[in-house]
Amino acid sequence: KNSASSFSSPARSATFPLPPQPRRSRHRRMATFSTFTVDKTENGEGRPRSNSKGGGSGGAHTIQRRRDGPPDTKVVEEGSARRNIVRKGGNSEVARHAKTDVVDDGSSVLYGQSPPIEPGDPLYDPYENDENYVLVSADESVTNGPRSPPRHNYDPDHRRMVFGPMLTLSEFKRRVVEALNEYFSSEDAEETIGTIKELGCPEYHYEVVKRAISMAMDRKERERELVSKLLSASSPELLTTDQLGKGFERLFEFIDDLELDTPGATEITAAFLARAVVDEIIPPAFLVDPVVVGLGGDVVAQTKRILSRDHQYSRVERIWGPGDGRPVSELKVAIDQLLVEYLLSKQLSEAERCVREMEVPHFHHELVKRAVAAVLDKPADEQAAMLNLLAHLHKTETVSPAQLEQGFQKLFQKLPDLVLDSPNASRVINSFLAQTKEFCPEAEGWALKANGDRAEAATNGANGTNGHA
C-alpha cells in the first residue's frame, strides 16, 4: 500500500512512517556550516541526538557543538542566497585583523573580498586601517588637546560627584563675606571672582550682589566703588544678567530693614543700580519690568531720576566721589580745590574731613607737595596757615610721617623747576622742613636729596652763594 506518508515493503508488511520533510521555499537556500552532532536514531535519519526517555518524535532534543575540528562546508547550487556576515563599518580583511575575535563564516573564500567602503559612505572610517597612532598621557592630552568641561561639583573628601551646590546657603554666605573682606583689603577683583567660583555654588551667586552692596552701605566711597568694579568684572563670568537682577530684587525685599540699620540705604541702592546700568551689566529694560517696579518702588524711581539727568553717564561713572579710583590727574585737581577752599576758610576740621573722604592714603604725599607748592609766592600768613594744616593732619594721624617725607622728597626733586617760577622756592621749602621737624620728630632722620647739579645751583643761588667754598 503506497501513500504520501507511508510505503509497503515486499519483505516486511509493517508500515514505517517517513521522517518529516522540511518545507522547501521557492528559492533554494545556501547551506551553512554544520555545527551540530548528527546521528541516526530509531526515530529517523538525520535527527539530532534525542535526550527524551520515551524516544518519541515529539521529545525534547539537546544540541551539541562539535569540538573535533572546524565544521564542514556544504556547497549548493549557484543562484542561492548569499550569507555574508561582515563587521559593520569595515571589510572582511579588517575583521580578521581586528583586536576582538570575529567568527569567519568562510564567505570571503567563496565569494571573494567585500568591496572597500569608499570615502563619502556613512560607514567610512578614515582611521580604521591606520595603525600609526601614539598613546599620550592624560596630562599632555589635557594641555594640548581639547579640554573636558570643568567639574566644579566634585567633592575630593568623599571622592564622588555632588549634584547641586556643594555648600548650604548659610555656609556660602559666610564664605562670601570672608572673600569680600579680603577684597576690600587687596582690591584684587580677579582673585575674589576665582575664590567665589571655587565654592561650587552657582545657584547662590545672586547672593554675592546682595551681600556686597549691603556690606558697602556701612563703609566709605572707596569700598562702594570697589563693589561696583567687582560687579562689572564679574559679568558674565561669575554673574549672569538674571543673577544680577535677582540680587537687586533681593535687596528690594529687604530695603526697609536696611534703611533701619543704614539711613540712606534707598539712595545708595539706587546709585548702585544706576551704576550697573551705566556699566552695561543690567539692561535699561530692567527698570520698566512690572515685577521690578513693584518690588523696587522708591529705589527704581530714584534710579530713573539719576539716569534722566544731563550728562548722566559721566556723572554716574563718578557717583562715589573723588576716591572712586579716578585717574591721578583728576585726584590732583581735587586736591588743589581742597587747598584753595582751606585758604579761604581756614577751617582745619573741614579740611581734615575732606582729606579723609578722599580715601587715598597712599596719595597723601601729593597733598603735602601741592600744599607747600601752592604757597611759595603767597604771603606769610597763608604760608603759616598751610603749615598749621600739615601739623593738624599729622596730629590727627590723617597723614603719616612716611607720606610727609615722600612729599618733601618730591619737592626737592622738583626744586629746579620750582625755582624758575618762584625764586624763593628753596628758602620757603627749607623753612617748611625746619618747622615740620618741630611737630614730627621722625623728620630729623630724613635724607632728602635734590636731583642733579641744577638743584644745587638753584639752592646756592637762592641762598646768595656761588656754589664754591
Side-chain angles (χ1 to χ4, degrees), residues 404-414 447-451:
L404 281 171
E405 179 184 3
Q406 190 175 353
F408 277 99
Q409 181 63 51
K410 287 182 172 293
L411 283 170
F412 276 93
Q413 291 175 354
K414 294 193 65 175
L448 304 177
K449 296 181 181 180
N451 288 338

Side-chain angles (χ1 to χ4, degrees), residues 221 225 229 275 317-326 358:
E221 284 76 6
E225 175 63 23
K229 289 183 177 180
R275 177 67 179 271
E317 286 177 353
R318 300 175 179 85
I319 199 169
W320 304 121
D324 60 353
R326 64 175 61 183
M358 292 180 67

Side-chain angles (χ1 to χ4, degrees), residues 13-51:
S13 61
T15 303
F16 298 94
L18 292 175
Q21 299 295 327
R23 297 182 60 185
R24 298 182 177 273
S25 61
R26 184 178 303 176
H27 303 284
R28 295 189 179 184
R29 298 181 179 178
M30 165 186 168
T32 59
F33 298 112
S34 174
T35 57
F36 308 109
T37 300
V38 182
D39 57 2
K40 295 182 179 181
T41 63
E42 297 178 357
N43 300 331
E45 290 188 0
R47 289 177 175 271
R49 184 179 290 118
S50 173
N51 195 29

Side-chain angles (χ1 to χ4, degrees), residues 243-254:
Q243 290 172 338
L244 285 165
K246 186 175 181 180
F248 275 102
E249 290 174 3
R250 293 284 292 169
L251 274 173
F252 299 158
E253 295 174 359
F254 293 94

Side-chain angles (χ1 to χ4, degrees), residues 225 228-229 231-232 244 248 269-287 303-320:
E225 175 63 23
S228 293
K229 289 183 177 180
L231 297 180
S232 179
L244 285 165
F248 275 102
T269 305
F272 272 109
L273 183 56
R275 177 67 179 271
V277 173
V278 171
D279 289 341
E280 298 181 355
I281 58 177
I282 287 185
F286 180 78
L287 302 177
T303 302
K304 293 179 180 179
R305 287 195 297 269
I306 294 175
L307 295 175
S308 62
R309 299 171 183 169
D310 295 336
H311 310 289
Q312 71 278 9
Y313 286 97
S314 59
R315 292 175 181 268
V316 174
E317 286 177 353
R318 300 175 179 85
I319 199 169
W320 304 121

Side-chain angles (χ1 to χ4, degrees), residues 332 335-336 338-340 342-343 363-391 393 399 403-415 417-419 421-437 439 446 448:
K332 291 179 179 180
I335 291 174
D336 290 339
L338 184 152
L339 295 174
V340 170
Y342 166 71
L343 291 177
F363 205 64
H364 284 170
H365 61 272
E366 188 69 20
L367 173 66
V368 176
K369 185 193 79 170
R370 303 184 84 83
V372 177
V375 295
L376 290 179
D377 295 329
K378 299 293 183 180
D381 59 336
E382 294 189 2
Q383 293 179 2
M386 195 63 72
L387 183 64
N388 291 336
L389 174 62
L390 296 180
L393 294 176
V399 178
Q403 292 294 318
L404 281 171
E405 179 184 3
Q406 190 175 353
F408 277 99
Q409 181 63 51
K410 287 182 172 293
L411 283 170
F412 276 93
Q413 291 175 354
K414 294 193 65 175
L415 186 57
D417 297 328
L418 294 174
V419 169
D421 298 330
S422 302
N424 295 327
S426 178
R427 178 182 60 80
V428 174
I429 293 175
N430 288 326
S431 175
F432 265 87
L433 179 59
Q435 297 180 69
T436 300
K437 294 178 181 180
F439 62 82
W446 292 350
L448 304 177

Side-chain angles (χ1 to χ4, degrees), residues 198-252:
E198 289 175 358
L199 298 179
C201 301
E203 295 86 354
Y204 299 150
H205 282 179
Y206 65 90
E207 284 289 336
V208 177
V209 182
K210 175 192 170 188
R211 189 63 55 179
I213 295 178
S214 60
M215 290 177 63
M217 289 181 181
D218 298 331
R219 298 173 183 260
K220 301 295 183 179
E221 284 76 6
R222 171 182 171 273
E223 285 77 10
R224 297 172 187 175
E225 175 63 23
L226 288 176
V227 169
S228 293
K229 289 183 177 180
L230 177 63
L231 297 180
S232 179
S234 301
S235 177
E237 181 182 0
L238 179 68
L239 299 173
T240 63
T241 303
D242 293 339
Q243 290 172 338
L244 285 165
K246 186 175 181 180
F248 275 102
E249 290 174 3
R250 293 284 292 169
L251 274 173
F252 299 158

